[in-house]
Amino acid sequence: QIDDLAEVDYSLSSLPAVFQPFIDLDLKGVVFPAGNYTDSPYVPASFTIPDQSDSMLYLAFPEYFFQSSSFAYYTAGAFNMTIAEETCSYFNINTEIFGSIIPEVAKYSVTPNPVMLKLMATEIPIISLEQDSFMVEIQGSMEVLAVLPDSTTQSLFTMNIAANTSISLNIFDQKLMGSLCLNRLQFSLAHSNVGSFEVLLLENILSYILQTEVIPSANGK
């Protein structure tokens, strides 16, 4: 078991191949939701490890391993999250801030109220391997809700999100490290209770915050 959400089947998929200088072990490497062995929609492709002999152990993870991981965590709901009003308030995110970007919100919510954000992946994130990195394509949605004085919530608008990220891999101090980069972030308006509005300014601001604050913080950990 990897964690509370996913398990991995790493049983042998074939008999070990024993040669004079080395042994080949083919493992399944399938990740599935915890307690629910669900077939992955992806088909594993055969691959070979480069012929090298200067290390004791070589491990190779195919694209299928990451694809099945994405499917397992998506099925388990790992990509759905709610950013509570306390967190938004810590970063000074409220209806007043959205109102300064989107005039329709200012007209709809005259009194500044806290907000909460509901984020979810609407499709299985697509993972593809590149040399020394891998790409992640994410399709999702973000719902912005105002938290009213009586603690009830009122939906303001919902955005469709399309994001493309890359993670570069390198070894530092004998540890495998990843460096996240946001390549593209696009928004489109899915539904609005405050009327139609132009999303480009909001897209640019959120992209700037991610590029200058969130991603550098994540890469520093």
Side-chain angles (χ1 to χ4, degrees):
Q1 185 162 333
I2 300 174
D3 51 31
D4 293 338
L5 299 177
E7 300 178 28
V8 60
D9 180 359
Y10 53 87
S11 58
L12 286 170
S13 59
S14 61
L15 291 175
V18 180
F19 303 92
Q20 183 178 3
F22 61 86
I23 299 176
D24 266 351
L25 298 175
D26 290 333
L27 309 179
K28 286 186 177 179
V30 180
V31 182
F32 54 93
N36 179 20
Y37 197 107
T38 306
D39 289 335
S40 169
Y42 304 102
V43 178
S46 60
F47 70 100
T48 57
I49 300 178
D51 187 13
Q52 298 180 5
S53 58
D54 54 347
S55 294
M56 181 178 295
L57 177 66
Y58 288 94
L59 291 175
F61 294 89
E63 198 169 72
Y64 175 76
F65 172 81
F66 298 100
Q67 291 171 337
S68 67
S69 299
S70 177
F71 169 73
Y73 281 102
Y74 172 82
T75 303
F79 301 112
N80 303 336
M81 66 187 72
T82 298
I83 302 178
E85 60 177 292
E86 292 81 8
T87 303
C88 291
S89 297
Y90 177 81
F91 290 101
N92 295 317
I93 302 175
N94 53 33
T95 56
E96 186 175 23
I97 293 296
F98 278 106
S100 64
I101 304 170
I102 306 168
E104 287 78 2
V105 173
K107 298 173 184 176
Y108 185 82
S109 180
V110 178
T111 303
N113 288 308
V115 299
M116 61 186 297
L117 309 177
K118 288 187 176 181
L119 304 172
M120 67 178 296
T122 54
E123 298 179 12
I124 303 171
I126 299 173
I127 299 177
S128 55
L129 297 183
E130 307 286 343
Q131 185 174 3
D132 300 325
S133 67
F134 56 90
M135 308 284 291
V136 182
E137 291 273 357
I138 301 173
Q139 301 288 333
S141 68
M142 178 182 73
E143 183 181 9
V144 179
L145 303 99
V147 181
L148 304 179
D150 61 359
S151 297
T152 61
T153 60
Q154 192 160 17
S155 177
L156 298 178
F157 57 86
T158 301
M159 310 286 291
N160 294 320
I161 303 173
N164 176 286
T165 64
S166 59
I167 301 177
S168 300
L169 301 176
N170 57 77
I171 297 177
F172 177 75
D173 195 22
Q174 297 184 340
K175 295 181 180 179
L176 181 64
M177 309 290 288
S179 179
L180 177 65
C181 176
L182 178 65
N183 301 321
R184 177 175 55 85
L185 180 67
Q186 290 183 325
F187 286 105
S188 62
L189 187 61
H191 175 74
S192 175
N193 290 322
V194 299
S196 181
F197 57 87
E198 176 58 52
V199 302
L200 183 59
L201 181 58
L202 178 62
E203 177 183 304
N204 290 339
I205 291 175
L206 290 178
S207 179
Y208 175 79
I209 292 173
L210 288 171
Q211 295 276 23
T212 60
E213 299 291 338
V214 178
I215 291 178
S217 176
N219 287 337
K221 294 183 178 180

